[in-house]
């Protein structure tokens, strides 16, 4: 049975979720961004028809972190079939084709580098051997999906670069025989830059809404990517989920979502739209707790789920 929800009710529920949590002080910001946005909180909604609604600090900029995997995966799916992507990302029993060298206890020696599978995905982006070309390709995808350009935080990038050098990430990957599809050093550098990009909830919600609208940015009306891959992107988001809570989040909300260490959180409802929220305070699992709870509250109050059989329409 189809459902019609008044836009006024949507705005009311979003405002209520914001008011309910705006003074919550639980959690602690990641040390890398602790001084960037203390106490800031914002929620942005973008529907597949272009309707926009924002409340709170929706223009505060925060680091994308793991959220950059979304445009990277969109770009990869424009280059190859999903079956090829799955194969290249790894088909071993451990789920990663890492070819780790066994330790004496029979366990694999893991590379001392952050987010190995994310590095692999960045290494797969074409053109190979051209990091500047890759950056342009991924940046253009982000701009198309967000409607505007993210901004590189040079201080955050330099700090991440220093930390990775101290970990000797390039040699760690080589020692573990971890498979990349491009040279390790420029791949790591590019990924650190992407993770250090700053965005707002307004941009994040627009990115999510572009996925929900089958590759068409509903605000700019630009065709950003082939809409046939939107369902796969949602499946990837659902499978990966917010850091360390993918399955619990999906069970509780029925909605694909992802988050980043900077405090951003985005959920996508295919065919309906997207909700993005930002709060720098993270819980012990690294989830921006205020952002996550606000989106869950909105989904619960409006009974929204990607797995619902009802077609949802927002009306005046």
């Amino acid at each position: 049975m189809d459902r019609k929800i008044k836009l006024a009710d949507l705005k009311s529920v979003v405002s209520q979720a914001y008011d309910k949590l705006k003074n919550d002080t639980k959690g602690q910001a990641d040390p890398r961004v602790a001084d960037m946005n203390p106490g800031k909180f914002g929620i942005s909604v973008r529907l597949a028809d272009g309707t926009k609604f924002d409340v709170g600090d929706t223009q505060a900029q925060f680091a994308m972190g793991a959220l950059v995997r979304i445009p990277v995966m969109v770009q990869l799916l424009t280059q190859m079939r999903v079956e090829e992507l799955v194969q290249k990302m790894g088909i071993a029993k451990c789920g990663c084709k890492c070819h780790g060298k066994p330790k004496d206890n029979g366990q694999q020696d893991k590379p001392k580098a952050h987010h190995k599978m994310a590095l692999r995905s960045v290494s797969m982006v074409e053109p190979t051997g051209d990091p500047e070309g890759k950056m342009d390709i991924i940046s253009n995808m982000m701009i198309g999906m967000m409607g505007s350009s993210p901004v590189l935080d040079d201080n955050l990038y330099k700090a991440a670069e220093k930390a990775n050098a101290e970990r000797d990430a390039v040699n760690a990957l080589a020692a573990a025989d971890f498979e990349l599809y491009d040279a390790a050093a420029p791949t790591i550098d590019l990924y650190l830059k992407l993770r250090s990009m700053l965005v707002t909830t307004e941009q994040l919600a627009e990115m999510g809404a572009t996925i929900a609208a089958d590759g068409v940015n509903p605000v700019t009306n630009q065709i950003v990517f082939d809409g046939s891959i939107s369902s796969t992107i949602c499946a990837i988001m659902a499978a990966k989920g917010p850091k360390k809570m993918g399955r619990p989040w999906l069970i509780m909300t029925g909605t694909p979502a992802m988050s980043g260490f900077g405090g951003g959180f985005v959920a996508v409802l295919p065919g309906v739209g997207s909700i993005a929220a930002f709060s720098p305070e993270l819980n012990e699992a690294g989830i921006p707790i205020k952002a996550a709870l606000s989106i869950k509250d909105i989904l619960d109050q409006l009974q929204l789920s990607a797995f619902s059989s009802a077609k949802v329409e927002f009306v005046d």
Side-chain angles (χ1 to χ4, degrees), residues 103-302:
K103 291 182 176 180
D104 292 339
N105 61 6
Q107 295 181 347
Q108 290 183 335
D109 187 15
K110 295 182 180 180
K112 293 180 180 179
H114 282 309
H115 309 290
K116 301 181 298 297
M117 299 308 290
L119 288 174
R120 180 174 288 166
S121 66
V122 170
S123 76
M124 292 162 57
V125 175
E126 296 176 352
T128 303
D130 181 4
E132 291 185 1
K134 285 192 185 196
M135 186 66 175
D136 288 342
I137 290 289
I138 298 171
S139 294
N140 287 336
M141 178 60 73
M142 289 194 288
I143 292 169
M145 296 178 74
M146 296 178 185
S148 56
S149 178
V151 179
L152 176 64
D153 186 316
D154 195 59
N155 290 333
L156 186 59
Y157 162 61
K158 292 297 183 184
E161 188 179 42
K162 179 181 178 182
N164 245 37
E166 292 172 351
R167 295 186 187 98
D168 197 15
V170 173
N171 287 330
L173 289 167
D177 199 17
F178 187 80
E179 183 178 12
L180 296 177
Y181 293 89
D182 208 341
T187 296
I188 293 172
D189 183 70
L190 176 56
Y191 183 58
L192 295 179
K193 285 180 180 176
L194 292 170
R195 281 172 56 84
S196 302
M197 289 287 185
L198 303 182
V199 294
T200 66
T201 59
E202 296 180 17
Q203 290 174 304
L204 201 57
E206 195 164 325
M207 180 175 74
T210 301
I211 298 170
D214 290 336
V216 178
N217 184 314
V219 179
T220 66
N221 291 318
Q222 176 189 357
I223 299 175
V224 183
F225 58 83
D226 186 338
S228 65
I229 69 173
S230 279
S231 59
T232 302
I233 296 301
C234 288
I236 291 171
M237 293 177 66
K240 296 298 293 183
K243 183 181 179 184
K244 297 182 181 178
M245 64 169 293
R247 282 175 291 181
W249 170 265
L250 194 62
I251 292 168
M252 290 187 294
T253 68
T255 305
M258 290 190 75
S259 66
F261 75 85
F265 196 109
V266 62
V268 176
L269 287 157
V272 178
S274 174
I275 309 171
F278 162 67
S279 61
E281 298 82 16
L282 311 180
N283 64 11
E284 292 181 356
I287 303 297
I289 187 64
K290 225 165 17 178
L293 289 176
S294 64
I295 291 178
K296 181 181 182 300
D297 194 52
I298 294 165
L299 295 172
D300 288 346
Q301 291 297 319
L302 295 175

Side-chain angles (χ1 to χ4, degrees), residues 1-10 302 304 310-316:
M1 181 177 178
D2 292 350
R3 294 178 58 213
K4 292 186 178 181
I5 301 174
K6 292 182 178 180
L7 285 172
D9 291 338
L10 168 64
L302 295 175
L304 296 172
K311 181 180 178 181
V312 175
E313 181 183 1
F314 287 90
V315 297
D316 290 326

